[in-house]
Amino acid sequence: TSVTYSANGNGIGSYDWNFVELDGTNSSQQNPVRTFMNTGSTPIAYTIRLTAASVAGCVDTTQKVIIVNPQPTASFTATPEAACGASPVLFDASSSVAATKYTWSFSDGTSGIVDTTSPLVSRYFPENITTIDKTYNVTLRTKTNKGCESEPVSKLIRIRPTVIANFIMDKDSSCNPLTVNFTNLSTQTDNNYTWYVNEVGAAGLGIPNTPNRPGYGFQYTFLNNTYNTVARYVITLVVRDDNGSPVCES
């Protein structure tokens, strides 16, 4: 902060400004300029003294105090910096210096968060329905309780394509044995697909199977060895996008 000091008076012959607390110097100018710095986290008070002497030799001294508030420094972490679609990202600005208010911009089409008093923010980014990663430039600005503002700091957040598992089958019931063709309608075409077969009520997903039809589809023949009761099965398709980090699953 630059401050100009002005000395007003009639018949003044000399000026002696004492800036010892600031930089150990004096000035004989009528209106000196000094720059006050505060690189800490608490306010600093500087006492400035002016001694003026008239041409007749009369001397008087006055003093004023200038308070320099700290300049905040914005800093934050993002966990994780790369996420799957519909996964939250936690932003933590606790490492910021001298900050009491936090303003966030997420470059996601929203108005962001303005002057919140908490350094912690959890954010869901829009689902990525494309086939490539999307990035968002997240920017933080902070303020002190005196209104001093920090320089902005930014991080890039990467959102992986959303994985949506989906399939249809050509039949869901028939006589024993029953062969069913499952067609994969999932959103991606180059992922890792696993088909699970399990009896209704059994624990877990069941027996894993790799695709055995075109388009990562699956064909399975169901058997009923009880002959006097209906056999029911659950089919589960798990899709993993392991072409990047993190690995996303549906």
Side-chain angles (χ1 to χ4, degrees), residues 214-226:
Y216 303 99
F218 181 53
Q219 183 185 83
Y220 192 83
T221 299
F222 299 88
L223 300 176
N224 184 350
N225 296 321
T226 62

Side-chain angles (χ1 to χ4, degrees), residues 29-41:
Q29 295 178 324
Q30 180 178 357
N31 302 314
V33 177
R34 287 293 189 275
T35 298
F36 295 80
M37 302 294 295
N38 183 352
T39 59
S41 58

Side-chain angles (χ1 to χ4, degrees), residues 28-192:
S28 59
Q29 295 178 324
Q30 180 178 357
N31 302 314
V33 177
R34 287 293 189 275
T35 298
F36 295 80
M37 302 294 295
N38 183 352
T39 59
S41 58
T42 58
I44 298 177
Y46 296 96
T47 300
I48 309 302
R49 294 181 179 84
L50 168 62
T51 300
S54 69
V55 294
C58 299
V59 178
D60 189 28
T61 299
T62 186
Q63 69 179 35
K64 293 184 182 295
V65 175
I66 183 170
I67 297 176
V68 181
N69 292 301
Q71 181 75 18
T73 301
S75 175
F76 70 95
T77 59
T79 306
E81 293 189 12
C84 299
S87 297
V89 178
L90 176 64
F91 297 97
D92 185 352
S94 300
S95 57
S96 298
V97 176
T100 58
K101 292 183 179 180
Y102 308 84
T103 294
W104 299 89
S105 173
F106 300 101
S107 71
D108 60 356
T110 67
S111 58
I113 300 174
V114 178
D115 286 349
T116 179
T117 57
S118 173
L120 301 177
V121 170
S122 182
R123 190 75 172 185
Y124 285 87
F125 288 88
E127 285 197 78
N128 181 1
I129 59 174
T130 71
T131 58
I132 60 175
D133 293 358
K134 281 190 174 182
T135 58
Y136 296 88
N137 189 40
V138 177
T139 301
L140 169 66
R141 293 175 173 85
T142 62
K143 290 181 183 179
T144 68
N145 54 6
K146 299 297 183 181
C148 301
E149 297 187 8
S150 72
E151 294 294 325
V153 293
S154 300
K155 287 184 185 292
L156 286 178
I157 302 301
R158 182 166 51 89
I159 303 299
R160 301 290 321 284
T162 298
V163 177
I164 300 177
N166 187 24
F167 67 88
I168 58 175
M169 50 193 174
D170 61 356
K171 59 178 74 74
D172 60 8
S173 65
S174 189
C175 300
N176 181 47
L178 170 61
T179 299
V180 180
N181 293 305
F182 299 91
T183 302
N184 190 347
L185 300 179
S186 303
T187 55
Q188 307 293 333
T189 59
D190 58 350
N191 291 323
N192 188 330

Side-chain angles (χ1 to χ4, degrees), residues 20 81 159 210 212 220-221 235 241:
V20 173
E81 293 189 12
I159 303 299
T210 57
N212 57 18
Y220 192 83
T221 299
I235 306 300
D241 178 5

